[in-house]
Amino acid sequence: VPLRKRQGRDANIHSVRAGSWAAQRTLIFRDALRADPELSAQYARLKRELGASSETRLVYTLAKTEFIEDTLRDCCQRLEIAYTPGNRR
């Protein structure tokens, strides 16, 4: 979902070390969205709403955090892997 273009940027790229917790959590979240159309629709709806109302990328990103962390916590519980909030272990 594109945000209003600010500071001439329209992309936000992340890089993570292969096998790191940051990489694993990204894949867990992606797989959860792919496996559950309703969850995917909820996330898309949230992103559209935030994209329309957030003044900065930071506000947009922080507002998505609760949804992402809740989803990851649920997935990790189902997969029986330890959940650690954030990108560090």
Side-chain angles (χ1 to χ4, degrees), residues 21 25 28-29 32-33 36 39 42-43 46 62-78 83-86:
W21 174 237
R25 59 186 270 121
I28 292 167
F29 186 68
L33 294 176
D36 185 341
L39 182 70
Q42 289 173 7
Y43 187 56
L46 174 65
L62 292 174
K64 295 187 308 177
T65 299
E66 183 178 1
F67 183 93
I68 293 168
E69 294 300 329
D70 287 348
T71 300
L72 287 168
R73 189 178 302 106
D74 292 346
C75 289
C76 287
Q77 184 176 7
R78 275 196 311 276
Y83 165 76
T84 303

Side-chain angles (χ1 to χ4, degrees), residues 18-66:
S20 68
W21 174 237
Q24 290 174 36
R25 59 186 270 121
T26 299
L27 297 175
I28 292 167
F29 186 68
R30 179 206 63 191
D31 292 347
L33 294 176
R34 286 180 173 177
D36 185 341
E38 180 54 35
L39 182 70
S40 182
Q42 289 173 7
Y43 187 56
R45 197 168 32 254
L46 174 65
K47 289 179 65 160
R48 278 192 303 276
E49 291 168 4
L50 293 172
S53 65
S54 299
E55 290 302 316
T56 66
R57 181 164 293 280
L58 179 60
V59 170
Y60 172 80
T61 300
L62 292 174
K64 295 187 308 177
T65 299
E66 183 178 1

